[in-house]
Amino acid sequence: MTPEPLPAAPTRRRAAYGHTALSLTVLVAAIWLARRHWPVLETGAVRLAVADQGWLLVAGTAAIGTWLCAALAQQGAVPERLPPGRLVAAQFAASAANHVLPAGLGAGAVNLRFLMRCGLPAGRAATGVAVKGAAGVIVRAVLIASLAVACPGVLRAPEVSPPVLAAAAGVLGVAALLAGPLRRRCRRLLGTALADIRAVHARPQRAAALWGGSLAFAGLHCVVLISVTQAVDLGQPPLRVALLYLAASSAAALLPTPGGLGSLDAALALALTAAGAPAAGAASAVLGYRLLTVWLPLLPGLLVLGVLIRRKAL
């Protein structure tokens, strides 16, 4: 069977330009909102500076655990055994790369290169990354549904003004145009991914690593935010905070900014304040979460990425 041709170079360039323009739009909007609400952000930063250090230590430990869980999930997504040390280092580097490139492209590219360096063919490596991503999406959906039952009334459809609806429709229209030329490739990739999923689930240890790692990854991110909210005495129940985090991060993933920069911050702060948290407390919780999961690990992660590339591990 003749393989389907890749999209033409002009199509790929248009897609890249579209993603870049959308990312810049979201980042500009985030900067504008930050300037508009700067007093609240400043108060939140001061509150975080005097937060409970014990809870912040718990949050930092949970943040470190997310990289181990990501490594476990990636190992579970492929039948082949991967070198453990390099696998964990690759997840740390992928997390940093994910905060530089939009829409998860950084983490996907790092994991793809890592799997190929481990001897997997390009197609198998791509499906390994896709299987891990699909498991993460399914786990998040199940967690949101379960927590929504445990915390009724927390998730409510927000009142959206017509300009916001028009902007959302425009974003979805751009996304549909960009996805059109890749539809056939996505269908073929899905078929290969389903075959790999069956191969992984034929080995119970791999299946347990895939689903257990994906569940623990999402759970530990919830623990990071819960611990920060406890540190700043936000006064929100842990299960509610976990539900708000999962819902906000899932919504922010629809906007392809690097690491959810701007989109996740705004969605998370909005979710916490809508649940009754004071604006300054919500700002300090979001700042603490982002500090532990993005800004503090960013430079070390990029250094690890550079070392892996130099040693041809990626």
Side-chain angles (χ1 to χ4, degrees):
M1 182 176 178
T2 305
E4 297 177 8
L6 296 174
T11 302
R12 293 198 298 271
R13 282 198 296 269
R14 284 196 298 270
Y17 293 154
H19 283 303
T20 302
L22 191 56
S23 298
L24 290 175
T25 301
V26 175
L27 289 175
V28 168
I31 293 171
W32 177 78
L33 287 172
R35 290 191 61 184
R36 184 177 180 182
H37 299 283
W38 181 252
V40 174
L41 293 176
E42 187 176 15
T43 304
V46 172
R47 186 170 178 174
L48 181 63
V50 297
D52 187 294
Q53 299 299 309
W55 277 112
L56 290 180
L57 180 60
V58 173
T61 303
I64 294 172
T66 60
W67 305 316
L68 301 177
C69 295
L72 183 63
Q74 187 60 79
Q75 173 61 88
V78 295
E80 293 82 359
R81 180 172 175 77
L82 304 173
R86 285 167 52 198
L87 176 59
V88 174
Q91 301 315 303
F92 185 42
S95 175
N98 208 39
H99 297 121
V100 178
L101 296 176
L105 295 177
V110 170
N111 281 315
L112 180 65
R113 291 293 302 172
F114 170 73
L115 293 177
M116 291 175 65
R117 288 291 186 182
C118 290
L120 276 71
R124 292 285 317 288
T127 55
V129 174
V131 167
K132 179 192 173 190
V137 171
I138 293 171
V139 162
R140 279 176 172 266
V142 171
L143 285 174
I144 290 174
S146 302
L147 290 172
V149 173
C151 305
V154 174
L155 295 184
R156 297 184 299 271
E159 296 181 3
V160 182
S161 61
V164 173
L165 285 176
V171 169
L172 292 176
V174 171
L177 290 175
L178 295 176
L182 302 177
R183 192 170 297 129
R184 288 187 301 171
R185 287 186 66 205
C186 290
R187 193 183 304 122
R188 184 181 60 184
L189 181 61
L190 179 61
T192 308
L194 290 175
D196 267 27
I197 289 174
R198 287 192 292 268
V200 165
H201 284 79
R203 306 179 65 175
Q205 288 184 340
R206 289 290 188 267
L210 173 64
W211 295 105
S214 300
L215 177 61
F217 179 81
L220 284 179
H221 270 282
C222 293
V223 170
V224 175
L225 183 60
I226 290 170
S227 300
V228 174
T229 60
Q230 294 294 322
V232 299
D233 195 20
L234 197 62
Q236 292 292 317
L239 288 182
R240 179 182 296 179
V241 173
L243 176 56
L244 293 174
Y245 164 74
L246 291 168
S249 59
S250 299
L254 300 176
L255 295 175
T257 57
L261 181 61
S263 57
L264 176 57
D265 305 86
L268 197 51
L270 178 62
L272 290 171
T273 52
S284 60
V286 173
L287 286 172
Y289 171 78
R290 296 299 262 175
L291 184 68
L292 292 171
T293 59
V294 178
W295 301 117
L296 288 180
L298 183 58
L299 182 57
L302 292 176
L303 292 175
V304 170
L305 178 62
V307 170
L308 291 175
I309 292 174
R310 185 172 181 179
R311 294 183 178 180
K312 299 184 178 179
L314 292 179

